[in-house]
Amino acid sequence: MRAAGLVARGVVLVCAVQLAGCAGGLPPRDGPSNGAIGSGGADAPRTIATGLEAPWSIAFHGEIALISERDSGRILEVVNGGSGDDGTPRSGAVREVGTVPGVAAQGEGGLLGIAVREGQLYTFLSATDENRIVRFPVTGDAGGLGLGDPETVLAGIPVAAVHNGGRIAFGPDGMLYATTGDGGVPQRAQDPASLAGKILRMTPDGGVPGDNPFAGSPVYTLGHRNPQGIAWAEDGTMYASEFGQNTWDELNLIEAGQNYGWPEAEGIAGVPGFVDPVQQWAPAEASPSGIAIQGGAISIANLRGERLRSVPLADPGATAVERFAGELGRLRDAVAAPDGSLWILTNNTDGRGDPGPGDDRLLAVEPGSPPSAG
Ligand SMILES: [Ca+2]
């Protein structure tokens, strides 16, 4: 398998650049490793970049990886795909593309999700008085990218110190989707007139698509507390991760016009009128942010749970594979990389984590697969 070969080679390369922890890949971190399978050994992550400051999101401009930093407001590019011409990894090889103007980092807010379409970089950012989506033309070539003039795509999303949502991505329908949190005001999630506590769907220019479920509104689904991950299966099925309050974090199957319950229902509650999640986890073992679909699984980056969890796409309610528990610290994002691997962002430098050597890091791992495959 291509991915397996990539990861196996990664073990050697990581050891070549890291003096410690070669026997088991990266040095272990303090923390539980309760039954996690597949960690260490041939499954060891390949380091793409190090020294990131509170990174939040990864997006690909062609084959060039871009990273957002929440507090600095910087957009970084990974130079030469993270390796030199001879395949030698260039750990930490990132350069600044530009700084997004207007970012007012506060609490969980700042420069959050990013997405790329047709040479434009879309950013979800917290300003002093609102969250908004702003796009920029990406200028220049690999190793010398820049940002052109900003253009606001959607403004007026409520901002707060917590629960800003903030993930953006283009769906297979060519539309831009954005997750928004309740901003600490739960009832907003049930208010169709509020842009908070929702998943939004808009045209690349920020217009309302004619086939949105609520006429004239970018609201696509409602009843969300703090969703931070969205991804689509090949058949177009959309999934979203969501932070619950104290009891259940969620993985939801997203369908237009549906209500996912918050704050009237949390987790699998069976309340009529609300859609239950396909799977739920206790926040201490989860706290899910970015998700990606690659290799037959939905892979979920978990913050407080400090693990990568992969749910089999063929049966999203089935037991998940858990990897890297307690080894990498908090995980913020997961994306499907063009080379078939899964790239993940650690999140240990934003004040809530315990930074290890090189943190924060962008890592390539083997994509998740169903636990009972074969
Ligand atoms: Ca729910």
Side-chain angles (χ1 to χ4, degrees):
M1 282 173 56
R2 182 181 182 185
L6 178 147
V7 172
R9 189 175 76 238
V11 173
V12 175
L13 298 179
V14 166
C15 286
V17 296
Q18 298 215 359
L19 297 178
C22 281
L26 297 169
R29 301 173 59 92
D30 292 336
S33 56
N34 45 351
I37 46 182
S39 57
D43 199 26
R46 177 170 65 102
T47 300
I48 305 291
T50 59
L52 309 171
E53 296 289 334
W56 214 89
S57 182
I58 314 159
F60 286 90
H61 172 59
E63 298 216 333
I64 307 168
L66 302 177
I67 303 166
S68 63
E69 286 186 336
R70 186 189 71 184
D71 297 343
S72 71
R74 296 194 306 170
I75 298 292
L76 307 174
E77 69 170 309
V78 176
V79 179
N80 288 343
S83 62
D85 294 338
D86 61 354
T88 305
R90 294 165 53 154
S91 190
V94 294
R95 65 169 287 276
E96 182 177 331
V97 173
T99 300
V100 173
V103 171
Q106 54 154 337
E108 297 172 2
L111 177 59
L112 304 179
I114 58 175
V116 177
R117 179 182 178 273
E118 294 185 349
Q120 298 259 355
L121 174 69
Y122 289 74
T123 65
F124 184 112
L125 67 100
S126 305
T128 53
D129 56 346
E130 64 179 3
N131 285 316
R132 58 178 176 256
I133 298 171
V134 177
R135 69 180 179 187
F136 306 80
V138 180
T139 62
D141 298 314
L145 296 182
L147 299 179
D149 292 337
E151 179 184 7
T152 297
V153 173
L154 183 71
I157 303 166
V159 66
V162 296
H163 305 178
N164 290 293
R167 195 69 62 186
I168 57 175
F170 282 91
D173 56 2
M175 297 298 168
L176 177 62
Y177 291 76
T179 67
T180 67
D182 68 9
V185 184
Q187 286 304 328
R188 284 176 176 160
Q190 291 294 326
D191 177 3
S194 172
L195 295 181
K198 305 296 186 308
I199 293 177
L200 308 176
R201 177 178 185 255
M202 68 206 83
T203 69
D205 297 324
V208 175
D211 58 350
N212 261 18
F214 306 104
S217 170
V219 172
Y220 189 66
T221 58
L222 61 165
H224 300 287
R225 181 175 178 270
N226 191 20
Q228 288 193 356
I230 44 176
W232 290 262
E234 274 187 19
D235 67 1
T237 305
M238 181 180 183
Y239 293 90
S241 64
E242 179 169 335
F243 292 85
Q245 183 166 240
N246 299 314
T247 312
W248 295 118
D249 292 331
E250 301 178 348
L251 177 68
N252 287 296
L253 192 159
I254 300 298
E255 293 186 314
Q258 297 289 349
N259 188 326
Y260 290 81
W262 177 255
E264 309 303 328
E266 182 180 354
I268 300 172
V271 178
F274 301 136
V275 178
D276 278 343
V278 295
Q279 194 152 172
Q280 63 187 12
W281 300 276
E285 297 174 348
S287 301
S289 190
I291 70 172
I293 294 178
Q294 184 95 303
I298 307 162
S299 290
I300 305 162
N302 291 288
L303 291 160
R304 197 172 150 202
E306 298 192 348
R307 70 197 71 181
L308 184 69
R309 180 176 277 123
S310 296
V311 170
L313 198 51
D315 184 6
T319 304
V321 174
E322 297 184 359
R323 292 187 289 166
F324 313 118
E327 297 176 2
L328 306 173
R330 295 156 62 85
L331 301 179
R332 174 62 75 178
D333 199 12
V335 299
D339 68 0
S341 63
L342 187 71
W343 286 20
I344 58 176
L345 270 180
T346 66
N347 190 154
N348 299 314
T349 59
D350 71 350
R352 286 185 173 180
D354 173 24
D359 277 343
D360 268 309
R361 296 178 288 160
L362 173 61
L363 305 166
V365 302
E366 193 169 3
S369 56
S372 57

